[in-house]
Amino acid sequence: MSLSRPSPTHRQVYRRDASAPNTLTLTTEPLPGLGATELPPHSLLIRLHAIALNYRDINILRGTNPWATLATGIPCSDAAGTVIAAGSGVTRFSVGDRVSPILDQASVTGREQSREWLGGEVDGVLATHVVFDEEKVVRIPEGLTFAEASVLPCAGVTAWSALAVGGEVGSGKVVLVQGTGGVSLLVLKLALAAGCRVIVTSSSDEKLEKVRRIAGRYADLVETINYKTNPKWEEEAVRLNGGKGVDIVIENGGTSSLLQSIAATAKRGIVSQVGYLGKQDAKDLEGLISALIDKTVTLRGINVGSRLEFEALNQIVSASRMRFEDLIDKTFAFEEAEEAFGYLKSQKHVGKVVIEIRLEVVEQT
Protein backbone atom coordinates (compact mmCIF):
# COMPACT_ATOMS: atom_id res chain seq x y z
CA MET A 1 0.00 0.00 0.00
CA SER A 2 3.00 2.32 -0.36
CA LEU A 3 2.86 5.47 -2.40
CA SER A 4 5.72 6.49 -4.70
CA ARG A 5 5.98 9.78 -2.81
CA PRO A 6 3.67 10.44 0.16
CA SER A 7 1.95 13.77 -0.01
CA PRO A 8 2.47 16.11 1.69
CA THR A 9 6.18 15.99 2.46
CA HIS A 10 6.01 18.84 5.01
CA ARG A 11 3.83 19.71 7.98
CA GLN A 12 2.98 22.61 10.25
CA VAL A 13 4.12 21.87 13.78
CA TYR A 14 4.47 23.54 17.17
CA ARG A 15 7.65 23.08 19.18
CA ARG A 16 8.63 24.18 22.66
CA ASP A 17 11.17 26.99 22.86
CA ALA A 18 14.03 25.80 25.11
CA SER A 19 15.14 29.39 25.78
CA ALA A 20 11.66 30.61 26.78
CA PRO A 21 9.45 28.47 29.04
CA ASN A 22 5.70 28.61 28.35
CA THR A 23 6.38 29.46 24.71
CA LEU A 24 5.32 27.60 21.56
CA THR A 25 6.85 28.21 18.13
CA LEU A 26 4.89 27.35 14.96
CA THR A 27 7.06 26.19 12.05
CA THR A 28 6.85 24.28 8.78
CA GLU A 29 9.24 21.35 8.56
CA PRO A 30 9.76 18.12 6.58
CA LEU A 31 7.77 15.13 7.76
CA PRO A 32 9.93 12.76 9.82
CA GLY A 33 10.92 9.30 8.63
CA LEU A 34 10.35 9.80 4.90
CA GLY A 35 12.92 8.30 2.57
CA ALA A 36 13.60 9.48 -0.94
CA THR A 37 10.56 7.75 -2.39
CA GLU A 38 8.37 6.18 0.30
CA LEU A 39 7.50 5.68 3.93
CA PRO A 40 9.40 3.10 5.99
CA PRO A 41 7.79 -0.33 5.46
CA HIS A 42 5.73 -0.43 8.66
CA SER A 43 4.95 3.28 9.06
CA LEU A 44 1.72 5.22 8.69
CA LEU A 45 1.36 8.84 7.58
CA ILE A 46 -1.56 10.31 9.51
CA ARG A 47 -3.37 13.58 8.85
CA LEU A 48 -4.53 14.78 12.27
CA HIS A 49 -7.98 16.29 12.84
CA ALA A 50 -8.08 16.83 16.61
CA ILE A 51 -5.64 17.08 19.52
CA ALA A 52 -6.71 16.97 23.18
CA LEU A 53 -4.70 18.71 25.90
CA ASN A 54 -3.74 17.29 29.29
CA TYR A 55 -2.46 19.11 32.35
CA ARG A 56 0.78 17.20 31.83
CA ASP A 57 1.30 19.32 28.70
CA ILE A 58 1.22 22.45 30.85
CA ASN A 59 3.79 21.03 33.27
CA ILE A 60 6.14 20.12 30.44
CA LEU A 61 5.75 23.51 28.76
CA ARG A 62 6.66 25.43 31.90
CA GLY A 63 9.48 23.05 32.86
CA THR A 64 7.92 21.48 35.98
CA ASN A 65 7.46 17.94 34.69
CA PRO A 66 9.33 15.45 36.94
CA TRP A 67 10.52 13.33 34.00
CA ALA A 68 13.04 14.15 31.27
CA THR A 69 11.70 15.82 28.14
CA LEU A 70 13.05 16.97 24.78
CA ALA A 71 14.19 20.57 25.08
CA THR A 72 12.61 21.62 21.78
CA GLY A 73 10.13 18.78 21.50
CA ILE A 74 6.64 18.80 20.05
CA PRO A 75 3.98 19.01 22.82
CA CYS A 76 0.89 16.88 23.36
CA SER A 77 0.17 13.17 23.29
CA ASP A 78 -3.51 12.76 22.42
CA ALA A 79 -4.79 12.96 18.87
CA ALA A 80 -7.08 11.42 16.28
CA GLY A 81 -6.74 11.45 12.53
CA THR A 82 -6.89 9.61 9.21
CA VAL A 83 -4.28 7.36 7.60
CA ILE A 84 -3.37 8.99 4.28
CA ALA A 85 -0.42 6.78 3.32
CA ALA A 86 1.02 3.44 4.46
CA GLY A 87 4.40 1.76 4.07
CA SER A 88 4.80 -1.34 1.89
CA GLY A 89 4.83 -3.73 4.85
CA VAL A 90 1.81 -2.39 6.73
CA THR A 91 -0.79 -5.08 7.50
CA ARG A 92 -2.83 -3.71 10.43
CA PHE A 93 -4.25 -0.61 8.72
CA SER A 94 -5.34 0.77 5.37
CA VAL A 95 -5.46 4.25 3.87
CA GLY A 96 -8.63 5.94 5.12
CA ASP A 97 -8.66 4.27 8.54
CA ARG A 98 -9.40 6.53 11.52
CA VAL A 99 -6.71 6.12 14.17
CA SER A 100 -4.99 7.44 17.30
CA PRO A 101 -1.37 6.91 18.36
CA ILE A 102 -0.80 5.39 21.79
CA LEU A 103 0.61 7.74 24.43
CA ASP A 104 3.43 5.50 25.69
CA GLN A 105 5.12 4.42 22.50
CA ALA A 106 7.11 1.76 24.38
CA SER A 107 4.03 0.07 25.87
CA VAL A 108 2.33 -2.28 23.43
CA THR A 109 1.64 -5.22 25.74
CA GLY A 110 2.17 -3.48 29.09
CA ARG A 111 5.09 -5.77 29.98
CA GLU A 112 7.75 -3.48 28.51
CA GLN A 113 10.18 -2.04 31.07
CA SER A 114 10.93 1.29 29.36
CA ARG A 115 8.78 4.31 28.52
CA GLU A 116 8.51 6.74 25.59
CA TRP A 117 5.74 9.20 26.27
CA LEU A 118 4.60 11.37 23.38
CA GLY A 119 5.22 15.05 24.07
CA GLY A 120 7.87 14.19 26.66
CA GLU A 121 10.76 11.82 25.95
CA VAL A 122 9.79 11.78 22.26
CA ASP A 123 8.08 14.28 19.97
CA GLY A 124 4.35 14.66 20.45
CA VAL A 125 1.40 15.34 18.15
CA LEU A 126 0.78 19.10 18.03
CA ALA A 127 1.14 19.05 14.24
CA THR A 128 -0.92 18.74 11.08
CA HIS A 129 0.65 15.36 10.19
CA VAL A 130 2.51 12.64 12.08
CA VAL A 131 4.30 9.40 11.19
CA PHE A 132 4.00 6.33 13.44
CA ASP A 133 4.82 2.65 13.32
CA GLU A 134 1.63 0.63 12.80
CA GLU A 135 2.21 -1.27 16.08
CA LYS A 136 1.86 1.99 18.03
CA VAL A 137 -1.51 3.05 16.69
CA VAL A 138 -5.11 1.97 17.38
CA ARG A 139 -8.37 2.30 15.48
CA ILE A 140 -10.75 4.80 17.01
CA PRO A 141 -14.25 3.60 17.94
CA GLU A 142 -16.97 3.82 15.35
CA GLY A 143 -19.48 6.57 16.01
CA LEU A 144 -17.07 9.01 17.64
CA THR A 145 -16.06 12.31 16.08
CA PHE A 146 -12.34 12.98 15.83
CA ALA A 147 -12.64 15.46 18.70
CA GLU A 148 -14.30 12.85 20.92
CA ALA A 149 -11.74 10.19 20.00
CA SER A 150 -8.86 12.55 20.81
CA VAL A 151 -9.76 12.53 24.53
CA LEU A 152 -9.10 8.79 24.89
CA PRO A 153 -5.32 8.15 24.55
CA CYS A 154 -4.42 9.62 27.97
CA ALA A 155 -7.56 10.43 29.95
CA GLY A 156 -9.58 7.50 28.62
CA VAL A 157 -6.90 4.83 28.98
CA THR A 158 -5.90 6.19 32.40
CA ALA A 159 -9.53 6.02 33.54
CA TRP A 160 -9.86 2.49 32.18
CA SER A 161 -6.62 1.34 33.86
CA ALA A 162 -7.60 2.93 37.17
CA LEU A 163 -11.00 1.24 37.15
CA ALA A 164 -11.07 -1.97 35.25
CA VAL A 165 -7.77 -3.58 34.26
CA GLY A 166 -7.77 -5.87 37.31
CA GLY A 167 -11.50 -6.55 37.03
CA GLU A 168 -12.36 -4.42 40.06
CA VAL A 169 -15.19 -2.32 38.66
CA GLY A 170 -18.70 -3.74 38.64
CA SER A 171 -22.33 -3.05 39.38
CA GLY A 172 -22.92 -1.77 42.90
CA LYS A 173 -19.34 -0.63 43.53
CA VAL A 174 -18.75 2.92 44.78
CA VAL A 175 -16.07 5.03 43.12
CA LEU A 176 -14.74 8.39 44.31
CA VAL A 177 -13.13 10.75 41.80
CA GLN A 178 -11.28 13.94 42.61
CA GLY A 179 -11.97 17.01 40.50
CA THR A 180 -13.66 17.53 37.16
CA GLY A 181 -10.79 17.14 34.71
CA GLY A 182 -10.63 14.72 31.82
CA VAL A 183 -9.60 11.58 33.71
CA SER A 184 -12.22 12.17 36.41
CA LEU A 185 -15.03 12.61 33.92
CA LEU A 186 -13.95 9.60 31.86
CA VAL A 187 -14.01 7.58 35.09
CA LEU A 188 -17.50 8.97 35.74
CA LYS A 189 -18.73 7.84 32.33
CA LEU A 190 -17.19 4.37 32.53
CA ALA A 191 -18.20 3.75 36.13
CA LEU A 192 -21.81 4.79 35.59
CA ALA A 193 -22.02 2.61 32.48
CA ALA A 194 -20.85 -0.33 34.63
CA GLY A 195 -23.56 0.31 37.23
CA CYS A 196 -21.39 1.94 39.87
CA ARG A 197 -22.27 4.80 42.19
CA VAL A 198 -19.85 7.73 41.90
CA ILE A 199 -18.85 10.45 44.37
CA VAL A 200 -17.21 13.51 42.79
CA THR A 201 -15.23 16.17 44.66
CA SER A 202 -14.53 19.72 43.48
CA SER A 203 -13.94 23.20 44.90
CA SER A 204 -16.73 24.62 42.71
CA ASP A 205 -20.46 24.08 43.07
CA GLU A 206 -20.86 25.25 39.47
CA LYS A 207 -18.52 22.52 38.24
CA LEU A 208 -20.29 19.92 40.35
CA GLU A 209 -23.60 20.95 38.79
CA LYS A 210 -22.05 20.40 35.34
CA VAL A 211 -21.02 16.93 36.49
CA ARG A 212 -24.64 16.13 37.30
CA ARG A 213 -25.69 17.31 33.85
CA ILE A 214 -23.04 15.10 32.25
CA ALA A 215 -24.30 12.13 34.30
CA GLY A 216 -27.72 12.68 32.68
CA ARG A 217 -30.08 9.77 33.30
CA TYR A 218 -27.57 8.35 35.79
CA ALA A 219 -27.60 11.49 37.96
CA ASP A 220 -29.27 9.66 40.82
CA LEU A 221 -26.14 7.49 41.07
CA VAL A 222 -23.92 10.55 41.61
CA GLU A 223 -23.09 12.33 44.87
CA THR A 224 -20.98 15.49 45.01
CA ILE A 225 -18.76 17.10 47.65
CA ASN A 226 -17.37 20.64 47.62
CA TYR A 227 -14.01 20.16 49.36
CA LYS A 228 -13.56 23.90 49.85
CA THR A 229 -16.66 24.21 52.02
CA ASN A 230 -16.21 20.67 53.37
CA PRO A 231 -12.44 20.21 53.88
CA LYS A 232 -12.94 16.86 55.63
CA TRP A 233 -14.32 15.47 52.41
CA GLU A 234 -13.11 11.96 53.24
CA GLU A 235 -15.48 11.85 56.21
CA GLU A 236 -18.33 13.13 54.04
CA ALA A 237 -17.60 10.42 51.47
CA VAL A 238 -17.87 7.74 54.16
CA ARG A 239 -21.12 9.31 55.42
CA LEU A 240 -22.59 9.40 51.90
CA ASN A 241 -21.81 5.71 51.58
CA GLY A 242 -23.71 4.78 54.73
CA GLY A 243 -20.72 4.81 57.08
CA LYS A 244 -18.53 2.57 54.94
CA GLY A 245 -15.62 3.73 52.81
CA VAL A 246 -15.74 3.58 49.01
CA ASP A 247 -14.42 0.70 46.91
CA ILE A 248 -12.13 2.66 44.58
CA VAL A 249 -10.61 6.14 44.86
CA ILE A 250 -9.18 7.82 41.77
CA GLU A 251 -6.45 9.87 43.46
CA ASN A 252 -4.89 12.78 41.58
CA GLY A 253 -3.70 15.19 44.24
CA GLY A 254 -0.58 13.36 45.40
CA THR A 255 0.90 13.92 48.85
CA SER A 256 -1.59 16.67 49.69
CA SER A 257 -4.61 14.34 49.52
CA LEU A 258 -3.37 10.75 49.64
CA LEU A 259 -4.01 10.15 53.35
CA GLN A 260 -7.52 11.54 52.99
CA SER A 261 -8.10 9.23 50.04
CA ILE A 262 -7.04 6.23 52.09
CA ALA A 263 -9.35 7.36 54.91
CA ALA A 264 -12.22 7.52 52.41
CA THR A 265 -11.59 3.95 51.26
CA ALA A 266 -13.23 0.82 52.64
CA LYS A 267 -11.09 -2.01 54.03
CA ARG A 268 -9.51 -3.93 51.17
CA GLY A 269 -10.37 -1.06 48.86
CA ILE A 270 -8.20 0.38 46.10
CA VAL A 271 -6.54 3.77 45.67
CA SER A 272 -5.46 4.37 42.07
CA GLN A 273 -2.84 7.13 41.99
CA VAL A 274 -3.30 8.79 38.60
CA GLY A 275 -1.68 12.22 39.16
CA TYR A 276 -0.03 14.76 41.40
CA LEU A 277 -1.93 18.01 40.88
CA GLY A 278 -1.66 19.25 44.47
CA LYS A 279 1.36 20.78 46.18
CA GLN A 280 3.80 17.94 46.84
CA ASP A 281 5.35 17.75 50.32
CA ALA A 282 6.68 14.52 51.84
CA LYS A 283 5.68 15.78 55.30
CA ASP A 284 2.05 15.26 54.33
CA LEU A 285 2.69 11.50 54.16
CA GLU A 286 3.38 11.04 57.86
CA GLY A 287 1.37 8.01 58.96
CA LEU A 288 1.05 6.59 55.42
CA ILE A 289 2.35 3.09 56.21
CA SER A 290 0.15 2.63 59.27
CA ALA A 291 -2.87 3.89 57.31
CA LEU A 292 -2.23 1.40 54.49
CA ILE A 293 -1.85 -1.49 56.92
CA ASP A 294 -4.84 -0.49 59.03
CA LYS A 295 -7.15 -0.23 56.02
CA THR A 296 -5.56 -3.14 54.08
CA VAL A 297 -5.70 -0.78 51.12
CA THR A 298 -4.10 -1.49 47.76
CA LEU A 299 -2.27 1.65 46.60
CA ARG A 300 -1.29 1.40 42.96
CA GLY A 301 0.31 3.75 40.49
CA ILE A 302 -1.45 4.22 37.15
CA ASN A 303 0.86 4.97 34.23
CA VAL A 304 -1.84 5.39 31.54
CA GLY A 305 -1.84 1.95 29.90
CA SER A 306 -0.68 -0.18 26.99
CA ARG A 307 -1.91 -0.48 23.42
CA LEU A 308 -3.74 -3.68 24.32
CA GLU A 309 -5.56 -1.88 27.15
CA PHE A 310 -6.41 0.99 24.79
CA GLU A 311 -7.89 -1.50 22.35
CA ALA A 312 -9.93 -3.11 25.16
CA LEU A 313 -11.30 0.31 26.12
CA ASN A 314 -12.22 1.03 22.51
CA GLN A 315 -14.13 -2.26 22.29
CA ILE A 316 -16.20 -1.25 25.33
CA VAL A 317 -16.83 2.22 23.90
CA SER A 318 -17.95 0.76 20.57
CA ALA A 319 -20.14 -1.95 22.10
CA SER A 320 -21.87 0.49 24.46
CA ARG A 321 -22.09 3.26 21.85
CA MET A 322 -20.64 5.63 24.44
CA ARG A 323 -20.21 9.27 23.39
CA PHE A 324 -17.95 11.99 24.78
CA GLU A 325 -19.10 15.24 23.20
CA ASP A 326 -20.36 16.37 26.61
CA LEU A 327 -16.82 16.05 28.03
CA ILE A 328 -15.36 18.60 25.61
CA ASP A 329 -15.46 21.93 27.42
CA LYS A 330 -14.05 24.08 24.62
CA THR A 331 -12.40 23.74 21.22
CA PHE A 332 -9.73 25.93 19.63
CA ALA A 333 -8.34 26.23 16.11
CA PHE A 334 -4.82 24.98 15.36
CA GLU A 335 -3.52 28.55 15.10
CA GLU A 336 -4.97 29.21 18.57
CA ALA A 337 -2.83 26.60 20.31
CA GLU A 338 -1.31 29.06 22.77
CA GLU A 339 -4.78 30.30 23.71
CA ALA A 340 -5.84 26.70 24.27
CA PHE A 341 -2.91 26.14 26.63
CA GLY A 342 -3.79 29.37 28.44
CA TYR A 343 -7.38 28.28 28.90
CA LEU A 344 -6.25 24.96 30.33
CA LYS A 345 -3.93 26.78 32.75
CA SER A 346 -6.84 28.92 33.95
CA GLN A 347 -8.56 25.76 35.26
CA LYS A 348 -11.94 27.18 34.24
CA HIS A 349 -12.70 24.09 32.20
CA VAL A 350 -14.79 21.06 33.12
CA GLY A 351 -13.57 18.11 31.07
CA LYS A 352 -11.33 18.39 28.04
CA VAL A 353 -9.83 21.18 25.93
CA VAL A 354 -9.44 20.21 22.26
CA ILE A 355 -7.60 21.74 19.29
CA GLU A 356 -9.17 21.05 15.89
CA ILE A 357 -7.23 21.27 12.63
CA ARG A 358 -9.20 22.66 9.71
CA LEU A 359 -8.53 21.45 6.16
CA GLU A 360 -7.36 24.87 5.01
CA VAL A 361 -4.53 24.72 7.57
CA VAL A 362 -3.43 21.36 6.20
CA GLU A 363 -3.51 22.64 2.62
CA GLN A 364 -1.09 25.43 3.51
CA THR A 365 1.75 22.93 4.14
Side-chain angles (χ1 to χ4, degrees):
M1 291 182 291
S2 63
L3 301 180
S4 59
R5 179 175 292 277
S7 179
T9 57
H10 289 70
R11 64 179 176 177
Q12 289 191 50
V13 58
Y14 284 95
R15 288 190 177 274
R16 295 186 291 272
D17 188 336
S19 63
N22 293 310
T23 301
L24 293 172
T25 302
L26 179 61
T27 63
T28 299
E29 61 185 39
L31 277 162
L34 297 188
T37 59
E38 60 183 13
L39 284 163
H42 297 286
S43 291
L44 303 171
L45 175 58
I46 303 165
R47 185 282 218 212
L48 294 183
H49 298 270
I51 299 154
L53 302 186
N54 297 295
Y55 202 78
R56 164 181 175 263
D57 302 321
I58 301 295
N59 283 336
I60 293 174
L61 190 62
R62 64 187 177 193
T64 57
N65 187 61
W67 293 281
T69 58
L70 294 176
T72 57
I74 301 170
C76 301
S77 56
D78 296 14
T82 305
V83 176
I84 61 172
S88 59
V90 168
T91 59
R92 297 184 67 238
F93 298 95
S94 300
V95 171
D97 283 346
R98 302 180 340 134
V99 298
S100 286
I102 61 175
L103 186 150
D104 186 350
Q105 292 281 292
S107 185
V108 174
T109 68
R111 301 184 185 91
E112 296 82 0
Q113 298 302 302
S114 59
R115 58 175 272 162
E116 289 184 356
W117 279 33
L118 294 177
E121 295 92 335
V122 295
D123 277 333
V125 296
L126 192 52
T128 56
H129 301 80
V130 289
V131 176
F132 284 103
D133 186 281
E134 64 173 325
E135 293 295 325
K136 304 191 178 169
V137 170
V138 301
R139 284 181 177 81
I140 65 178
E142 292 294 330
L144 296 187
T145 66
F146 287 109
E148 290 175 272
S150 73
V151 311
L152 296 179
C154 180
V157 180
T158 297
W160 175 255
S161 298
L163 273 177
V165 166
E168 301 87 0
V169 74
S171 180
K173 293 291 183 72
V174 182
V175 180
L176 185 146
V177 299
Q178 297 174 344
T180 56
V183 172
S184 296
L185 294 187
L186 264 297
V187 168
L188 176 76
K189 284 265 191 180
L190 293 169
L192 291 176
C196 298
R197 289 178 52 230
V198 182
I199 300 173
V200 183
T201 71
S202 173
S203 62
S204 166
D205 287 335
E206 182 181 359
K207 289 183 177 182
L208 290 172
E209 184 55 36
K210 287 184 179 179
V211 168
R212 288 188 172 279
R213 291 200 295 270
I214 288 170
R217 62 192 178 98
Y218 298 110
D220 60 337
L221 295 176
V222 177
E223 301 279 3
T224 59
I225 303 172
N226 185 321
Y227 64 78
K228 184 172 287 186
T229 58
N230 197 338
K232 292 187 177 181
W233 54 265
E234 73 280 15
E235 296 180 2
E236 179 65 4
V238 172
R239 187 192 70 79
L240 289 171
N241 198 35
K244 178 187 174 183
V246 305
D247 298 293
I248 305 173
V249 175
I250 311 301
E251 219 297 318
N252 63 18
T255 64
S256 63
S257 57
L258 179 55
L259 286 175
Q260 286 180 286
S261 290
I262 293 171
T265 307
K267 278 201 171 186
R268 302 191 182 278
I270 295 169
V271 176
S272 291
Q273 190 74 54
V274 302
Y276 50 94
L277 297 179
K279 183 179 180 181
Q280 304 305 298
D281 187 341
K283 294 178 182 177
D284 293 331
L285 296 180
E286 184 177 350
L288 172 63
I289 301 303
S290 60
L292 285 173
I293 294 172
D294 183 52
K295 279 295 192 77
T296 326
V297 164
T298 298
L299 172 61
R300 60 186 184 185
I302 302 298
N303 188 7
V304 189
S306 67
R307 191 198 82 196
L308 296 184
E309 288 157 350
F310 196 170
E311 290 171 335
L313 167 64
N314 285 344
Q315 288 176 356
I316 294 296
V317 171
S318 293
S320 63
R321 299 182 180 178
M322 199 174 295
R323 298 297 302 270
F324 304 109
E325 69 271 16
D326 53 351
L327 301 192
I328 299 174
D329 181 280
K330 192 171 183 179
T331 61
F332 291 82
F334 186 69
E335 58 271 23
E336 298 173 328
E338 289 192 291
E339 289 91 334
F341 272 70
Y343 182 67
L344 188 65
K345 287 180 189 176
S346 75
Q347 298 189 37
K348 295 178 181 178
H349 64 292
V350 174
K352 299 296 290 184
V353 177
V354 172
I355 294 171
E356 294 187 306
I357 305 174
R358 300 189 305 270
L359 181 60
E360 55 263 34
V361 173
V362 174
E363 292 174 340
Q364 293 169 8
T365 56

PDB file of all heavy atoms in Angstrom, residues 157 320 350:
ATOM      1  N   VAL A 157      -7.640   6.047  28.607  1.00  0.00           N
ATOM      2  CA  VAL A 157      -6.901   4.834  28.981  1.00  0.00           C
ATOM      3  C   VAL A 157      -6.525   4.876  30.460  1.00  0.00           C
ATOM      4  O   VAL A 157      -6.544   3.848  31.144  1.00  0.00           O
ATOM      5  CB  VAL A 157      -5.660   4.661  28.084  1.00  0.00           C
ATOM      6  CG1 VAL A 157      -4.891   3.401  28.481  1.00  0.00           C
ATOM      7  CG2 VAL A 157      -6.063   4.573  26.618  1.00  0.00           C
ATOM      8  N   SER A 320     -20.870  -0.244  23.680  1.00  0.00           N
ATOM      9  CA  SER A 320     -21.869   0.490  24.462  1.00  0.00           C
ATOM     10  C   SER A 320     -22.369   1.750  23.756  1.00  0.00           C
ATOM     11  O   SER A 320     -23.266   2.422  24.252  1.00  0.00           O
ATOM     12  CB  SER A 320     -21.275   0.879  25.816  1.00  0.00           C
ATOM     13  OG  SER A 320     -20.181   1.764  25.652  1.00  0.00           O
ATOM     14  N   VAL A 350     -14.278  22.301  32.547  1.00  0.00           N
ATOM     15  CA  VAL A 350     -14.788  21.060  33.116  1.00  0.00           C
ATOM     16  C   VAL A 350     -14.691  20.022  32.000  1.00  0.00           C
ATOM     17  O   VAL A 350     -15.423  20.107  31.013  1.00  0.00           O
ATOM     18  CB  VAL A 350     -16.250  21.213  33.583  1.00  0.00           C
ATOM     19  CG1 VAL A 350     -16.803  19.861  34.035  1.00  0.00           C
ATOM     20  CG2 VAL A 350     -16.359  22.221  34.707  1.00  0.00           C
TER      21      VAL A 350
END
